Amino acid sequence: MSGPPAIEVTDAEGADGGVVLRGILDFNEAAVGPSGRRPLSVLVRDPETGAVLGGLTGRTDKGWLFIELFHLPEALRGGGLGAALLARAEAEARARGCVGAWLDSYSFQAPAFYRRQGYTEFGHVPDNPPGHTRHFFRKVFAPG
């Protein structure tokens, strides 16, 4: 390298972000060992077309399930399907050796739902977005 590195600000997504991710994963693995990082999705499909209608996505990593995205269309809410999806994700996480799960939810989304499913709040960020709160929840799985 001749001279100082260049700094770039961009909103482009793609392979460049993979370099950053790979770097932090390698750094973390050197510190704590292999993470066991694996994607996890629990999806709801239309029985006739097979199209994905909703579900949850995340990953298991370092002995925890992280739920990144969770969405059901309005017509599928309120009948226990969300709780069933969450239970399926938790069961798979346990099978993968996880000790618990964590996620975040905005105040206008579903914090009450997660509390009903046994999740406890461990932090929050007020005014994220302005006028609302971002809540962080976790659930430690019972041994067994």
Side-chain angles (χ1 to χ4, degrees), residues 45-115:
R45 292 187 181 271
D46 182 295
E48 294 174 13
T49 67
V52 174
L53 302 173
L56 68 82
T57 63
R59 65 185 167 273
T60 53
D61 188 1
K62 296 179 214 58
W64 283 80
L65 166 63
F66 170 59
I67 299 169
E68 185 171 15
L69 303 170
F70 193 172
H71 172 75
L72 286 174
E74 190 70 38
L76 296 178
R77 296 178 194 165
L81 183 58
L85 291 174
L86 197 54
R88 291 283 294 269
E90 291 171 3
E92 177 61 21
R94 283 186 187 95
R96 294 182 184 189
C98 291
V99 298
W102 72 281
L103 56 90
D104 62 88
S105 180
Y106 293 109
S107 54
F108 57 87
Q109 290 178 327
F113 167 77
Y114 295 114
R115 287 184 183 102

Side-chain angles (χ1 to χ4, degrees), residues 15-28 37 59 61:
D16 293 338
V19 172
V20 176
L21 176 60
R22 184 76 258 152
I24 194 66
L25 291 176
D26 290 347
F27 179 87
N28 291 351
R37 181 183 176 100
R59 65 185 167 273
D61 188 1

